[in-house]
Amino acid sequence: MSITTTTPAWHDVTASPSDRVDALLSELTLEEKIAQLFGVWVGASSEGGDVAPHQNDMDDVIDLDALLPNGLGQLTRPFGSAPVDPALGALSLLRSQRRIVASNRLGIPAVAHEECLAGFATWGATAYPVPLAWGASFNPALIERMSHRIGTDMRSVGIHQGLAPVLDVVRDARWGRVEETIGEDPYLIGSIGTAYVRGLEAAGIVATLKHFVGYSASKAGRNLAPVSVGPRELADVLLVPFEMVMREGKPRSVMHSYTDIDGVPSAADESLLTGLLRETWGFDGTVVADYFGIAFLKMLHGVAGSWGEAAALALTAGVDVELPTVKTFGAPLVEAVRSGDLAEAVIDRALRRVLRQKVELGLLDPDWDASPEALRGVNIDDTQGIRGTIDLDNAGNRAVAREIAEQSIVLLSNDGVLPLTAPRRIAVVGPTADDPFAVLGCYSFPAHVGVQHPDTPLGIDLPTLLDSLRGEFPDAAIEYVAGTTIDGGETTGIAAAVEAAARADIVIVALGDRAGLFGRGTSGEGCDVESLRLPGAQQELLDAVVASTTPAVVTLLAGRPYALGSAVSGAGAIVQAFFAGEEGTGALAGILSGRVNPSGRLPVSIPATEGTQPSTYLAAPLARSNSVSSIDPTSAFPFGHGIGYSDFAWTAREHGPAVIGVDGVATLGLRILNTGERRGAEVVQVYVHDPVASAVRPVQRLVGFHRVELEPGESVDLSIHLPADVTSFTGRNGERVVEPGEIVVGLGASSTDIRISHSVQLTGAPRAVGFDRAFHLSFDEVVRGGA
């Protein structure tokens, strides 16, 4: 007698995803449903064994043996919680997935997620420049190449979801997480963020937009502090990057913000997570909790009286998955449903989204295999034999990291001292010169986790700036004096630094930040500051060295912009690097020598004084310097600024009609000629100025940019097409509108260096636009050739 087995309907790859989801959902008990809606924070075994629960201050004791029979939605950071050899980490994850599948009666695997803000956050993986450096590159295509490499590495070892990018708009540079943002302009963030998501998603990784929304606008730049923005700032500044990336990048997940906006926490805001995100924008992916964010509804926000109430608020609002570990979505949520406080249909709504994602990832296919690509064909029983066989910091990764570092470092000023030509004696002073961590952000693995394991090697090569300078200038005598520490405030070493400068032909002053978490650094999550004064006694060191007779080149390896005092006018040159990653010091040394022609542009303004926050370049007339306030917020170096070793001539070409409809497209012509003696890059930035509008508008607002690289004597003719949609804003009735009237289009090298202006008259009735509006200008390179 033969026995016929029936393939479960959710394993039928010929069925639609929704039919497969419905079939599986109908088989699950309440406890099994809820188990798919939370993660467990684990750490990979350094010997390749099963993962073990990761303990931290907010965790309850996790009994995996008790949890797994009901299944598990997510595995939290199996690679990113402790140093582990990548191959053994992949083996540990493989065995854990097999255990999960074997433990639950329907054989459902878990989604594994990791941090990937500036690279795959695991031991031995490439540390790329931080997002603020991505913004400084003004090169979306390069960032897409990087994120694809990150995603490929993650996918190769069994990871499914990455918790990036950060799309918060800098509103107050005192906030510690500025380093994680792409900048202070919504359009720049949206453009770079879209590229990052495309690269990650193309590699098969679920990209997660965060932090939705308003996190960066917290009062006084304090982490998790309340947000009190109005609806227009929310719609026209903070939401724009999410809107752009949602439509053009197609991410599959969103993470809610910790903060509340006008008293409503994002994790409990149904109008935000369901009304806007899903019903207006059409998002059909998953919304995941920022770590412990649902528990914070009870613990910090005080809008829930119990864990079950917090869970019900979040689920009703539109949160689907509790991360990093089960707290409110376990027994408290089961009880809330059993008692009738929450309808099971709300659970089913979230579960459909979670299961659909597992279908898309192939986790519910009948031939799903827990073995990741990097371990296929490998004898996994030979634990020691596979150690060291996976390279997450290969030459291709490092080449992209180096290219981003080189294109993101910004030359702020130069009186001719750079590039350095065969200096004989170089003095190097400052606390970041001999610190290998000076190029890393707080979510890099060495800074985030590695510092807790001081006896474990870093896993990647991190040359200090001093190392790179010695390699770049092998014939120079280099003397190093720290002068002070990053934030200790010591001044006793400043005199020795000045003496070293006096003995040298040139002095390089290396200043900046140390990334860390919750007060353990000068930049990073929870490392907010009272002012934009350089940490510790660095300003005193800087002032003393600049006052000496030796030409000074100031280099900043930092996570935020700082006021630079006397150096703005007194230094021979100033070079700004935003945590430029493992290839950063080599790129910086190359710029000093002239091997690299700098082309970075500021994604955030550099303040002239340390106490003028909050302020950004997106300022209305009364937010700028004026006669009715004694505070002048004018920046020392504005958004978009950056110079190089080449000069470019800008010439207006024939523009299109000066009058267009409110649904029309304006055309501008521009010629860029490299008048310098070496190949260089210019970034054409397009700004709009709205002289008269129904609501107060910024004086200048970036609406497009185009990076061009030209040989000496080479020129390019650009036709720039600007759709009227990009002039839109939120009108008085709360709807986004293109208004008739004059718009002044500025073509410039920065937000304050407008080289060519063109007035365009928009005609017709006010025109409402929405999510489907045009976001971008187009740039046609009409002619490219010699002058």
Side-chain angles (χ1 to χ4, degrees):
M1 183 178 67
S2 63
I3 299 175
T4 302
T5 58
T6 303
T7 300
W10 58 87
H11 281 326
D12 183 1
V13 295
T14 66
S16 69
S18 58
D19 286 346
R20 295 175 68 185
V21 166
D22 287 344
L24 180 53
L25 189 148
S26 68
E27 294 289 331
L28 295 171
T29 67
L30 176 61
E31 288 79 4
E32 288 171 333
K33 290 178 180 180
I34 290 174
Q36 291 297 314
L37 305 183
F38 60 72
V40 171
W41 199 336
V42 300
S45 166
S46 61
E47 301 302 322
D50 287 348
V51 296
H54 178 74
Q55 298 300 310
N56 59 71
D57 292 342
M58 282 195 61
D59 278 350
D60 297 324
V61 176
I62 301 299
D63 183 351
L64 278 179
D65 289 333
L67 285 177
L68 291 185
N70 286 325
L72 182 63
Q74 293 223 6
L75 287 167
T76 292
R77 295 173 65 179
F79 284 83
S81 300
V84 60
D85 175 85
L88 295 181
L91 177 58
S92 175
L93 179 55
L94 179 159
R95 289 174 171 166
S96 298
Q97 288 281 33
R98 288 179 176 175
R99 177 185 175 191
I100 291 167
V101 168
S103 297
N104 71 88
R105 66 185 180 90
L106 298 178
I108 306 171
V111 167
H113 78 257
E114 281 291 352
E115 297 284 0
C116 56
L117 188 67
F120 182 8
T122 189
W123 188 85
T126 305
Y128 293 93
V130 297
L132 200 58
W134 311 346
S137 76
F138 275 72
N139 191 340
L142 179 57
I143 303 310
E144 184 170 347
R145 285 169 51 203
M146 175 199 71
S147 65
H148 191 268
R149 298 193 74 90
I150 293 171
T152 299
D153 284 343
M154 295 170 72
R155 200 72 190 91
S156 74
V157 294
I159 299 301
H160 306 101
Q161 181 168 2
L163 303 187
V166 170
L167 300 182
D168 297 301
V169 183
V170 175
R171 305 300 283 167
D172 188 329
R174 295 174 297 178
W175 188 49
R177 304 189 78 166
V178 167
E179 63 173 70
E180 299 178 46
T181 75
I182 298 169
E184 67 182 8
D185 179 80
Y187 180 78
L188 176 65
I189 297 167
S191 299
I192 298 288
T194 295
Y196 181 92
V197 167
R198 284 174 172 167
L200 206 65
E201 288 280 356
I205 294 293
V206 175
T208 309
L209 310 186
K210 61 185 189 183
H211 306 87
F212 194 64
V213 65
Y215 191 17
S216 58
S218 57
K219 289 183 178 179
R222 296 178 63 244
N223 194 38
L224 272 67
V227 175
S228 299
V229 301
R232 188 164 289 102
E233 181 178 357
L234 180 66
D236 291 352
V237 178
L238 301 176
L239 283 171
V240 167
F242 290 94
E243 195 175 10
M244 289 177 65
V245 179
M246 187 62 61
R247 199 183 81 188
E248 301 193 330
K250 308 298 184 187
R252 287 179 282 173
S253 193
V254 171
M255 175 180 280
H256 73 72
S257 170
Y258 283 130
T259 46
D260 70 87
I261 298 178
D262 195 26
V264 180
S266 295
D269 191 342
E270 188 172 6
S271 66
L272 178 70
L273 300 181
T274 297
L276 178 65
L277 182 63
R278 298 191 184 281
E279 295 173 1
T280 301
W281 291 356
F283 177 64
D284 61 359
T286 57
V287 174
V288 300
D290 203 344
Y291 284 14
F292 306 109
I294 300 174
F296 287 170
L297 295 177
K298 175 182 182 292
M299 295 179 62
L300 300 182
H301 292 294
V303 296
S306 67
W307 301 129
E309 189 177 345
L313 279 173
L315 276 164
T316 301
V319 180
D320 301 315
V321 180
E322 181 177 31
L323 297 179
T325 200
V326 57
K327 181 73 175 182
T328 71
F329 274 23
L333 183 54
V334 173
E335 176 58 28
V337 176
R338 296 282 189 219
S339 66
D341 292 336
L342 181 69
E344 189 168 348
V346 179
I347 304 291
D348 291 348
R349 182 182 68 171
L351 182 58
R352 280 190 168 88
R353 297 190 279 246
V354 167
L355 294 180
R356 183 183 180 92
Q357 202 156 87
K358 290 194 173 186
V359 168
E360 293 171 348
L361 290 166
L363 298 179
L364 300 184
D365 290 353
D367 59 352
W368 175 80
D369 183 357
S371 301
E373 179 184 343
L375 292 184
R376 288 178 187 162
V378 173
N379 179 11
I380 62 173
D381 294 325
D382 183 10
T383 302
Q384 294 308 310
I386 68 171
R387 185 187 295 272
T389 59
I390 296 177
D391 184 4
L392 299 179
D393 188 33
N394 56 60
N397 286 2
R398 294 194 300 273
V400 172
R402 181 165 54 253
E403 193 173 351
I404 297 171
E406 291 176 351
Q407 292 192 17
S408 67
I409 295 174
V410 186
L411 180 58
L412 298 179
S413 65
N414 183 20
D415 67 2
V417 68
L418 292 182
L420 300 177
T421 304
R424 291 182 302 137
R425 298 182 304 274
I426 301 174
V428 180
V429 305
T432 61
D434 200 28
D435 181 0
F437 283 76
V439 293
L440 300 178
C442 78
Y443 269 83
S444 67
F445 186 85
H448 196 80
V449 177
V451 291
Q452 302 169 39
H453 302 269
D455 296 331
T456 302
L458 290 176
I460 55 175
D461 185 24
L462 289 175
T464 67
L465 179 57
L466 195 58
D467 294 332
S468 292
L469 289 171
R470 286 172 174 151
E472 196 76 26
F473 301 100
D475 298 327
I478 296 179
E479 180 182 4
Y480 171 60
V481 178
T484 188
T485 61
I486 288 176
D487 59 345
E490 305 91 345
T491 59
T492 55
I494 292 178
V498 173
E499 291 170 2
R503 292 189 289 270
D505 301 318
I506 192 78
V507 56
I508 297 171
V509 190
L511 308 173
D513 280 316
R514 181 185 66 256
L517 294 167
F518 306 112
R520 295 189 292 274
T522 61
S523 174
E525 185 173 0
C527 297
D528 315 313
V529 294
E530 294 181 355
S531 79
L532 296 185
R533 182 179 178 83
L534 283 163
Q538 292 185 67
Q539 187 66 56
E540 287 88 339
L541 172 65
L542 177 59
D543 289 340
V545 173
V546 166
S548 72
T549 57
T550 304
V553 175
V554 180
T555 64
L556 294 130
L557 294 163
R560 64 160 62 83
Y562 285 106
L564 300 175
S566 63
V568 173
S569 58
I574 304 174
V575 186
Q576 173 75 64
F578 296 110
F579 288 150
E582 64 181 63
E583 296 288 334
T585 61
L588 181 51
I591 284 172
L592 299 185
S593 73
R595 175 174 54 82
V596 176
N597 192 350
S599 60
R601 301 293 185 265
L602 285 176
V604 287
S605 308
I606 303 290
T609 58
E610 62 197 48
T612 55
Q613 292 295 301
S615 71
T616 80
Y617 98 96
L618 283 173
L622 285 175
R624 293 188 164 204
S625 178
N626 55 60
S627 61
V628 298
S629 173
S630 59
I631 298 175
D632 182 357
T634 304
S635 61
F637 301 101
F639 173 84
H641 171 73
I643 58 177
Y645 300 144
S646 298
D647 296 314
F648 298 90
W650 295 48
T651 307
R653 295 175 55 248
E654 183 178 355
H655 301 317
V659 179
I660 64 171
V662 292
D663 59 352
V665 176
T667 300
L668 291 84
L670 172 67
R671 172 170 293 173
I672 301 289
L673 169 66
N674 184 350
T675 60
E677 298 179 352
R678 59 183 296 175
R679 177 181 176 84
E682 181 68 295
V683 179
V684 177
Q685 301 165 42
V686 184
Y687 294 86
V688 294
H689 168 59
D690 194 342
V692 179
S694 62
V696 175
R697 305 296 298 136
V699 175
Q700 296 286 3
R701 178 171 63 88
L702 183 74
V703 295
F705 58 86
H706 187 68
R707 180 186 174 97
V708 294
E709 296 190 10
L710 299 171
E711 299 291 344
E714 190 176 26
S715 67
V716 60
D717 288 358
L718 297 175
S719 287
I720 303 169
H721 307 288
L722 183 149
D725 285 19
V726 304
T727 71
S728 66
F729 62 93
T730 301
R732 294 191 182 186
N733 64 356
E735 294 183 355
R736 181 171 286 276
V737 63
V738 178
E739 288 189 341
E742 183 188 18
I743 293 292
V744 180
V745 182
L747 308 180
S750 80
S751 57
T752 64
D753 184 9
I754 303 300
R755 306 286 178 87
I756 296 166
S757 294
H758 178 58
S759 177
V760 177
Q761 194 74 26
L762 303 184
T763 61
R767 172 173 160 261
V769 294
F771 184 64
D772 60 349
R773 69 187 183 278
F775 287 132
H776 299 287
L777 284 61
S778 63
F779 295 80
D780 297 333
E781 295 188 0
V782 178
V783 176
R784 197 179 181 100

